[in-house]
Amino acid sequence: MRLPETRDLFAQQLQFPVTRSTVLDTVGDTVLHAPSGENKTIGDVIQRCEIDEFESADSLYDSLMTFVGDEFIGRKFYDDRGGVGPSQDDDQEVNF
């Protein structure tokens, strides 16, 4: 499952407010497909979260997005606007 699809899954499969243990029991085995790197389950990610109860599908989704790893980010430090990357000096002038 792709990350953006999880919000709908939460709304369909869970009744809110919901405890973290119910989330783990109900949808915890659902595999999240990482664009780069190793896939994780929803349970792998939510177990890192310290929140015990989620008020809505949006709050659960926000927590999931907070705790996914770098393998879900895509191209790290990518900037299509010509910004300065981490390996360049911040003082470098950019001309447009």
Side-chain angles (χ1 to χ4, degrees):
M1 173 170 278
R2 295 178 328 128
L3 274 176
E5 298 168 344
T6 58
R7 187 186 319 248
D8 290 337
L9 174 73
F10 298 153
Q12 293 169 1
Q13 297 290 321
L14 301 167
Q15 291 187 354
F16 293 90
V18 66
T19 63
R20 181 172 57 173
S21 63
T22 301
V23 171
L24 295 174
D25 291 342
T26 307
V27 295
D29 292 335
T30 303
V31 175
L32 300 172
H33 299 289
S36 61
E38 185 179 332
N39 295 335
K40 303 281 185 203
T41 65
I42 290 174
D44 293 336
V45 178
I46 293 300
Q47 285 179 343
R48 292 186 244 159
C49 178
E50 295 181 8
I51 298 172
D52 289 326
E53 186 173 275
F54 301 95
E55 295 299 320
S56 66
D58 289 336
S59 67
L60 177 55
Y61 178 78
D62 291 345
S63 295
L64 183 75
M65 294 301 290
T66 300
F67 289 98
V68 294
D70 287 347
E71 59 271 10
F72 290 89
I73 292 174
R75 289 175 49 189
K76 207 168 185 182
F77 304 116
Y78 175 76
D79 182 1
D80 63 351
R81 297 181 186 167
V84 178
S87 63
Q88 299 173 350
D89 292 330
D90 288 336
D91 296 333
Q92 182 178 357
E93 184 177 322
V94 177
N95 294 318
F96 294 98

